[in-house]
Amino acid sequence: MKIEIDLPLCEGHAQCEIIAPDYFEVRDDGLAYLLKDTVEPGDVDLLNSVVQRCPTAAIRLRSTEADPQ
Ligand code: SF4
């Protein structure tokens, strides 16, 4: 599963970084950047929580062919 940030929607609220600091970093330009873009198998619930908590719905998870069914 891959993570995508729609940067034009990001307003730098940093909920993503607070919840999942291993994946997201809000930089000096006030935008969130991915530290890694592939969801570790044990982190699916964590990343779903990030998706739900982003105030501007800027984060999406995208299934990949490598994901277990
Ligand atoms: S929670 Fe959403 S709006 Fe806030 S920094 Fe992360 S991606 Fe941007």
Side-chain angles (χ1 to χ4, degrees):
M1 195 176 274
K2 293 282 188 186
I3 310 163
E4 297 173 342
I5 302 176
D6 190 346
L7 281 182
L9 292 179
C10 177
E11 294 181 354
H13 299 284
Q15 292 300 313
C16 51
E17 183 182 84
I18 292 167
I19 298 167
D22 288 346
Y23 287 90
F24 301 92
E25 179 180 75
V26 178
R27 297 193 180 153
D28 291 345
D29 60 6
L31 298 173
Y33 290 87
L34 289 170
L35 301 176
K36 50 185 175 182
D37 70 353
T38 301
V39 181
E40 307 281 348
D43 289 343
V44 174
D45 287 348
L46 180 72
L47 270 297
N48 276 321
S49 173
V50 172
V51 168
Q52 290 171 6
R53 301 271 285 278
C54 173
T56 64
I59 301 169
R60 282 188 297 270
L61 302 182
R62 182 167 53 82
S63 295
T64 60
E65 289 182 10
D67 290 337
Q69 296 302 309

